[in-house]
Structure formats: structure tokens, C-alpha cells
Amino acid sequence: MLWRHKLGSLSFEKPRILGIVNVTPDSFSDGARLATVDDARRHIDRLLAEGADVIDVGGESTRPQGARPVGADTELRRVIPVVEAAVADHPGVLLSVDTVKAAVAREALAAGAAIVNDVSGFRLDHGMAAACAESGAGVVLMHSRGDVADMATFAHATYGADSTGEIVSELRHAMDGAVAAGVETDRIVLDPGIGFSKRSEHSLAVLRELPRLVALGRPVLVGVSRKRFIGELSGVSVPAERVAGTVGANVVALERGARLFRVHDVRPTREALDVAWAIRGQAS
Ligand code: HH2
């Protein structure tokens, strides 16, 4: 059992899908689509109807072409009304908040979110571990380097011969830090951070070698949805049209040990992962 919360819980009798809700004007594939709380509400209804297990709400983009970091006030103004609306509309559904700021995490948890998804793996705000530990939140620690403005660029994509080894060791360090600060180990999920401070070769290598991350003993989440390496490999330049490549990458990630999948396109992912899971024939 992962992420028990007063409002719901999540186990792994099947692959788990986080449906993406970007309430940002500038996200790389779906920026500015959800301009109002009602837009976000309708989008959440759809993600859940299509089979999402968790709704991941984010108010700050890390897009590759010059993300603009936003202040906590702006992020709170974007995220909290959506969390409140989702809790009211769908009591019992697990909500995660995609933020690197402890102030935003705290408010979102108070408003009913159950999980904090930090793309900096607790590097950028040292208050994050305490915020999560106090509330008993589930935690996603994602690998990245640098700050919000450059973590999705190649500025820090400087690896030696074994990029996966460096990623795994940096995530182990993040996990050890979180646990030392009071976060329970069994609430932690690890994410290799596909496309974050990684060229396509690094993203491909870490997906290929995912069992090395799984070996740290925590469930692994991957976020490949519509990302640049899929565009490069498939020749599909429009991010929203990279669905087939996304599904293919997620199925292979499942086979290599991932159990949680953060996606924009829930229905095709749900169908593909459920079929792949049944063929694998083991609920582990
Ligand atoms: N990727 C993005 C954002 N948050 N969280 C986790 N745990 N893993 C990821 O791979 C991940 C993430 C970037 O994608 P997106 O939300 O579509 O874009 P943007 O950052 O431009 O809002």
C-alpha cells in the first residue's frame, strides 16, 4: 500500500496513472489551455473518467525553452482554487501538487492534496521535507539539476560514462536527505526526471536501465509524456501529437519496473498499460 491518506489510498494491483493538470500559461505542450478553474474542473473530470488514479496539479512550468519561474503568490493563486475544486468535486481522489516550493506544498496539503511532486527532489527549498513530514504526505522525488529556469535545458546535462549511475546516486542522496528530515521511507516514490538536465541519450539510457533505479527499493514513476526525445525519435514535432510514442515509452518503462506514469493522454495510456500488465501476468 502506498500513500495512505485520510481521503484515499493507492496500491499497486495495477499500474497507476497521474493525469496532468497544468494551470500555467506556458507549459511546453499544453500551456494556457486551462485558463479558469472551471476549465481545470472539466479537464479533471475527463482525466478521471479516462482512468487516472491521481490528479497532478502544477502552477509553474519548467519548459525547455526558458521557463519563467513564478513567485509563491502566483503559484498559490493558480493551484489552490483548483485543488479545492477537485477535492469538492471528487472526494476520495488522490491529488498531487507539482511544486518546488514548501509554501505551496503546505497550502495545497491543507486544501486536501495528498502528495507532493517535487521536480527538484527537495533540492530547491529546504522547507519541503518538513512540510511533507509533518503532514504525512506522499512524496515524489524527481531527479534534476539546476534551478527552475534551466533544469529542463542541457545546461547541467554533463555526465561521465555512466549517466544512469549518477542519476541513481543523486536520487539516493535525495531520498536519504528526505528520510533524515523525517519523511517516512514508505511514502517516497522516485522519478528519473526524463528530459530534465538530460539529453535524449541520457533519458533513453535511464529508461533502458530503469531496474538500477528500481533496485533502490521504492516505486518508480516516469514522466515521458509528449517529451522532446519522443519527438526526436518519432519525427512528430507537435508535442500534443506524440501520443503513440508516449504510450510505447510507458509500456517499456512498465516492463522495466516503473509503476506510476505521469501523462497528459490518460485513455490510451490506461488501455495500453492495462493490456501490458495483464500479459505480464503478475501483480508486483
Ligand atoms: N515532468 C514535467 C513536470 N513535472 N513531475 C514528475 N514527477 N516527473 C516528470 O517527468 C515531470 C514532472 C514537465 O512536463 P509538463 O508538466 O508537461 O510541462 P511543463 O513543465 O512545461 O509544465
Side-chain angles (χ1 to χ4, degrees):
M1 174 80 68
L2 173 74
W3 292 342
R4 201 190 317 272
H5 183 260
K6 62 180 186 298
L7 298 173
S9 62
L10 202 64
S11 59
F12 287 113
E13 76 271 9
K14 62 176 185 174
R16 295 302 185 178
I17 294 178
L18 283 76
I20 299 173
V21 178
N22 279 327
V23 275
T24 51
D26 57 346
S27 286
F28 80 96
S29 86
D30 58 356
R33 274 196 50 231
L34 307 177
T36 69
V37 175
D38 277 340
D39 291 341
R41 256 186 155 130
R42 276 190 289 276
H43 188 58
I44 291 168
D45 290 346
R46 176 170 168 197
L47 296 175
L48 291 171
E50 292 186 354
D53 301 290
V54 176
I55 296 298
D56 186 48
V57 182
E60 180 173 55
S61 175
T62 50
R63 72 202 293 269
Q65 300 82 17
R68 287 188 299 276
V70 297
D73 284 358
T74 303
E75 208 179 321
L76 285 166
R77 218 169 28 246
R78 292 175 180 172
V79 165
I80 301 303
V82 175
V83 170
E84 287 172 346
V87 169
D89 290 351
H90 305 283
V93 165
L94 286 171
L95 293 170
S96 86
V97 58
D98 185 341
T99 187
V100 299
K101 297 187 187 73
V104 176
R106 274 182 201 282
E107 295 258 346
L109 292 168
I115 301 153
V116 175
N117 171 23
D118 184 346
V119 296
S120 82
F122 286 4
R123 286 183 302 106
L124 295 181
D125 188 332
H126 294 297
M128 202 54 127
C132 295
E134 282 161 22
S135 64
V139 168
V140 179
L141 296 175
M142 196 199 81
H143 177 267
S144 63
R145 294 172 172 176
D147 58 24
V148 168
D150 68 4
M151 62 169 63
T153 71
F154 298 146
H156 304 280
T158 46
Y159 299 91
D162 182 15
S163 51
T164 301
E166 292 180 41
I167 293 162
V168 170
S169 127
E170 287 166 37
L171 272 177
R172 183 191 292 117
H173 179 74
M175 179 163 69
D176 289 349
V179 171
V183 177
E184 289 173 45
T185 308
D186 66 5
R187 294 187 179 276
I188 297 175
V189 163
L190 300 175
D191 180 338
I194 301 303
F196 283 86
S197 318
K198 293 171 191 71
R199 295 182 182 278
S200 291
E201 70 212 64
H202 306 125
S203 290
L204 287 175
V206 78
L207 285 169
R208 188 179 304 123
E209 301 171 47
L210 210 57
R212 294 174 68 187
L213 181 55
V214 174
L216 293 187
R218 298 305 309 146
V220 168
L221 183 155
V222 292
V224 300
S225 193
R226 302 180 178 178
K227 283 187 178 164
R228 182 171 44 202
F229 81 101
I230 291 178
E232 286 173 15
L233 289 168
S234 61
V236 178
S237 56
V238 178
E241 294 175 4
R242 296 173 183 161
V243 181
T246 296
V247 168
N250 276 322
V251 168
V252 174
L254 172 75
E255 191 53 24
R256 301 206 172 193
R259 291 293 173 267
L260 299 105
F261 304 83
R262 180 182 181 277
V263 298
H264 302 85
D265 306 288
V266 170
R267 186 186 300 280
T269 309
R270 179 84 275 162
E271 291 174 2
L273 290 178
D274 286 354
V275 171
W277 188 249
I279 293 170
R280 287 180 78 256
Q282 62 184 80
S284 64

